Amino acid sequence: MAKADFDIDRVMAILAEEVTRWRKPIVTEMVEQQRDPFKVLISTMISLRTKDDVTEEASKRLYALAETPQTMMALSEKQVAEAIYPAGFYNQKAKNILAACQRIVEEFDGQTPDKIDTLISFAGVGRKVANLVLTLGFEKDAICVDTHVHRITNRWGYVKTKNPDQTEMALRKKLPQPYWIPINDYLVSYGQHLCKPISPLCSTCRLTDHCKRIGVTKSR
């Protein structure tokens, strides 16, 4: 196949097979145990600039103290910060988490909102977090674009964008809707283990016939 003829159906089929070799992203794994939009929101807020194993343990410690916005509001910023430490920016995240809980209780009758424009109005919540809440918490069609999705879809040549927000909008126009939800899980796993930011493992990648390797100057 010529690399100009991008077969997204084939690419997604290969990805679906390949990612079974690795652990799923931690927030996805946690949601499969209990689909709770509130916990998706909080764990995803914790996960920003934080490794998966730290996010997992931080979430467990926090939920051992409180599992609902109402009970979490009773905690102090210090208690939340200590529970989620050493997550990146844990003090600011503690403040944002408690502010989110207060808004959910006072403005939304204790229910996590399911509208992206509402979610991104919360402190510490950008489009990545909001889209994960929609896809994982509510099973609504949305596209969560993090650095992996942005980097890899541009590396393929499937989109040509400058930042994750542009990538999301480009994918909304181009990516078949059945792939909107799974693409994040697939490319997070693929990006962490194989299609790395620097020196990707192209010699073992099954997508070489589909990838233009845009921006790749060194590979293994």
Side-chain angles (χ1 to χ4, degrees):
M1 173 187 294
K3 291 182 180 179
D5 302 323
F6 197 90
D7 186 347
I8 189 62
D9 297 310
R10 180 59 182 153
V11 166
M12 293 298 286
I14 292 172
L15 286 170
E17 295 173 359
E18 288 291 283
V19 298
T20 59
R21 297 189 287 160
W22 307 303
R23 185 179 182 182
K24 294 179 181 179
I26 190 58
V27 177
T28 301
E29 196 171 87
M30 293 171 65
V31 167
E32 290 179 346
Q33 301 169 16
Q34 180 185 14
R35 191 171 296 278
D36 182 340
F38 174 68
K39 287 186 176 180
V40 176
L41 173 63
I42 300 304
S43 290
T44 308
M45 291 173 72
I46 294 171
S47 75
L48 298 173
R49 298 190 181 184
T50 300
K51 293 182 178 179
D52 275 5
D53 57 343
V54 174
T55 298
E56 179 180 24
E57 294 305 315
S59 296
K60 287 179 179 178
R61 288 191 297 270
L62 181 58
Y63 300 147
L65 299 176
E67 292 190 292
T68 67
Q70 293 87 345
T71 56
M72 205 168 286
M73 278 179 64
L75 302 177
S76 67
E77 280 188 28
K78 182 179 179 181
Q79 285 176 298
V80 176
E82 288 178 346
I84 66 174
Y85 176 85
F89 305 97
Y90 58 92
N91 284 318
Q92 184 61 49
K93 286 178 181 177
K95 182 178 181 178
N96 291 342
I97 286 169
L98 290 176
C101 291
Q102 184 172 358
R103 285 195 62 189
I104 289 170
V105 170
E106 295 180 356
E107 297 179 33
F108 303 100
D109 197 28
Q111 301 300 309
T112 303
D114 62 353
K115 304 296 183 185
I116 192 165
D117 289 342
T118 304
L119 287 165
I120 62 175
S121 72
F122 283 42
V125 175
R127 294 192 68 87
K128 171 190 170 181
V129 173
N131 278 312
L132 270 182
V133 173
L134 295 182
T135 58
L136 297 182
F138 294 100
E139 297 185 284
K140 288 192 168 187
D141 284 331
I143 304 174
C144 176
V145 176
D146 69 347
T147 56
H148 297 291
V149 177
H150 171 63
R151 178 183 73 254
I152 296 173
T153 53
N154 274 275
R155 184 173 282 174
W156 289 341
Y158 189 63
V159 298
K160 186 178 181 180
T161 55
K162 294 181 179 180
N163 57 57
D165 285 354
Q166 289 183 7
T167 300
E168 180 194 340
M169 298 308 159
L171 290 174
R172 282 178 172 271
K173 295 177 181 178
K174 187 172 187 179
L175 185 69
Q177 203 156 347
Y179 302 138
W180 283 23
I181 293 178
I183 193 170
N184 181 262
D185 277 359
Y186 290 175
L187 293 189
V188 167
S189 292
Y190 215 67
Q192 288 175 340
H193 296 95
L194 197 149
C195 196
K196 296 175 180 288
I198 299 173
S199 190
L201 284 72
C202 297
S203 62
T204 60
C205 180
R206 291 176 59 194
L207 298 178
T208 52
D209 288 342
H210 305 269
C211 181
K212 293 182 178 180
R213 299 178 67 188
I214 293 173
V216 176
T217 56
K218 181 181 178 182
S219 64
R220 290 171 279 170

